[in-house]
Amino acid sequence: MKPYLYMIKIKLLLALSYRYEVFITFITQIILLFVSSFFWKAAYKGIDSVAMVNERQMLIYSVISIILGNIFSISVEDSIRQKVRKGNVAVDFLKPVNIFYMYFSEDIGNVVTSVVQQIIPILIVSSLFIVVPAPASAVHFILFLVSVCCSYLIMWLISAIFGLFYFWVIDIGPLGEIKNYMILILSGSFVPVWLFPPIIQKTLVFLPFVYIYQFPISVFIGKTSPMPALTGIAVQAVWILGFGLLFGKIKRHVEKNIMVQGG
Amino acid sequence: MQSAVILANNLSKEFITTKKSSGLRGAVKNLFKPEKTVKRAVDHVSFEITKGEIVGYIGPNGAGKSTTIKMMCGILNPTGGNVLINGMSPVNQRQKIVMDLGVVFGQRSQLYWDLPLGESFELLRRIYLVDRAKYEANLAELDRILNVHEFIDTPVRQLSLGQRMRGDLAAAMLHSPSVLFLDEPTIGLDVDVKYAIRKFIKEINEKYQTTVILTTHDLDDIQALCKRIIIINDGIIVSDSPLEELIEQELGHRLLIVELSAGDFHVTHPKAEITPLGSNRLQLKFRKDEISAAALISDISAQYQIRDLQIKEADINDVIRQIYARSKAACL
């Protein structure tokens, strides 16, 4: 376990060496925070609630969504892509460790870093100028934390599966980008899916996307009550299992046919 | 006879590449019926390396050196044949094998670009489960030859190539592996660093009986380090023999160059081939097994007065060039 923990520390150290970048990211996050709060304030003008969600809840929704966006900025896909292109993945495979645990540790390191560098400042700014992002209740908050962990695993596995593709096609072009936008739109990270037409809502229930952003956030704001929340977490677990099996299968295939670039 | 540390048996690797036809028609053709060509990068390679050997594994660019090394580390799976490292196969026991393996790819680095060198070392210490006392001792030992303490707190991106290479070598040896693969470790380095690296390889080999496989294009590396060389060309081993023997059988002769004081001479010798070089200089080509250099010199000095002389050692560069040329000709 120790090398994996040290990897988390290394990621933190690396992040601290990019101070300028941290600052720029923070500024964009704050702009996003204000823009979405203005948007929802304007949309709610003269309306009490939409789909049983009031203005305050919606503002909290957007703040939490931005925070989750920070947590879910997963690097495994991109780091495999770059390593495969440059052939440096060879060096990783020479270590007596499970390299995917290593990549996972790197991403956990990223989460720790973003909590310190982005999330805490965002919470402070939001509490001071927009809304205090308080959970509906302690029970809701605990369920929210559990479901965020599940969301993270789903996101990570999807990213890792896309990363594995790079081993044999080297470059899947815009496919990775398309996937990212699909997740952003269909997961309700900008606009909750309950504002979409009913037919789309019904379809999306059968896809993993809403379980990444919208589900944990609606638990947080109290739109989803504890019992349905538990059911939702069970659905998340099924998705984790499904993606986990798929990932394992592709990983075994890749390890059997590894291709390393360059002399 | 000691047991084999590395045993390659009919090791082969084929790469399938799709040939891209050009133009619009080509593009359509590629889409439906891509033309595939099979390239054999390594073709039935077999060798056995025993503990404590330093083996030079050489060949022209694209001969299959790196591919062989990659198969030995388990990064590439062979298409055919197998290889055993310490009796284990890299195909299914990669993690176990690499625990006792040090690898340096001269053109890649395993160090973290943005972090001080020492951080990468600390991570490796944990990956290879080296306890602190042993780590400190190893580092001190490595530092003695490679002088890594000079830049251990510098981010790797700020290191010069020579420093980075020394760092990479130290990183590969932190867990004192019994087998070391060095893929062009002296590429692009200056004379001093090359010397330090050679000295380092020699010392760890003598001290710990580390088995070293070295690929390089710098034949001075080979001459300084290797007792045995394996030459590969187009995926096929064309020669595998001790360095001395190779030079002997390829060249077989030496050159003696003498400068005589008398301007008027007519030298003949039954065991040497003589070519005048002008300005009183003669070149005598002889075989070591027929006549010794000392005997030849005394024969000549019995007739004429020798002002200056020089014995030319066989040049390994010539030997290798000759072998490459021959194996190329055989392919055509």
Side-chain angles (χ1 to χ4, degrees), chain B residues 54-58 212-215 222 226 228-231:
Chain B
I54 304 184
V55 177
Y57 192 56
I58 62 173
V212 183
I213 310 244
L214 173 74
T215 81
I222 300 284
C226 307
R228 171 182 171 194
I229 61 178
I230 298 177
I231 303 176

Side-chain angles (χ1 to χ4, degrees), chain B residues 148-214:
Chain B
V148 283
H149 75 272
E150 288 171 8
F151 45 85
I152 201 158
D153 294 322
T154 314
V156 173
R157 69 182 130 85
Q158 289 172 13
L159 298 182
S160 71
L161 183 59
Q163 289 172 329
R164 205 216 75 203
M165 207 55 234
R166 275 142 70 194
D168 256 312
L169 265 176
M173 284 302 295
L174 274 178
H175 57 293
S176 17
S178 70
V179 181
L180 190 58
F181 292 145
L182 304 173
D183 195 356
E184 302 188 31
T186 55
I187 195 163
L189 300 179
D190 69 40
V191 190
D192 276 347
V193 181
K194 272 187 187 172
Y195 177 76
I197 285 175
R198 284 175 199 151
K199 190 174 157 204
F200 169 77
I201 297 170
K202 210 161 204 160
E203 282 206 29
I204 55 146
N205 171 260
E206 277 162 13
K207 204 161 176 179
Y208 307 107
Q209 286 287 296
T210 310
T211 310
V212 183
I213 310 244
L214 173 74

Side-chain angles (χ1 to χ4, degrees), chain B residues 8-13 42-46 68 71 78 80-83:
Chain B
N9 188 14
N10 279 323
L11 200 60
S12 305
K13 180 74 196 176
V42 174
D43 195 358
H44 294 90
V45 160
S46 302
T68 316
M71 284 193 281
N82 59 48
V83 61

Side-chain angles (χ1 to χ4, degrees), chain B residues 282-301:
Chain B
L282 287 176
Q283 176 187 287
L284 294 95
K285 194 173 170 186
F286 65 100
R287 294 186 70 89
K288 210 169 88 179
D289 47 354
E290 285 176 355
I291 187 166
S292 73
L296 192 60
I297 293 165
S298 78
D299 285 354
I300 297 165
S301 62

Side-chain angles (χ1 to χ4, degrees), chain A residues 6-7 10 13-14 18 86-88 90-91 93-98 102 255-256 258 260-263, chain B residues 66 70 73 75-77 94-95 98-99 103 105 108 110 112 114-115 119 122-124 126-128:
Chain A
Y6 200 76
M7 190 69 229
I10 282 217
L13 289 176
L14 269 177
Y18 293 120
K86 292 184 188 153
N88 278 342
V91 177
F93 270 102
L94 286 172
K95 302 281 158 47
V97 285
N98 185 321
M102 220 57 186
E255 278 174 344
K256 263 193 194 147
I258 309 168
V260 177
Q261 294 283 300
Chain B
S66 293
K70 281 171 189 164
C73 320
I75 314 175
L76 270 181
N77 284 341
R94 180 180 61 82
Q95 286 202 26
V98 293
M99 203 71 191
V103 185
F105 291 112
R108 307 190 194 303
Q110 60 165 321
Y112 275 86
D114 290 311
L115 291 177
E119 285 299 335
E122 274 292 325
L123 179 66
L124 290 170
R126 285 165 169 86
I127 286 178
Y128 290 101

Side-chain angles (χ1 to χ4, degrees), chain A residues 6 12 85 102 141:
Chain A
Y6 200 76
L12 247 170
R85 287 184 77 149
M102 220 57 186
F141 185 62

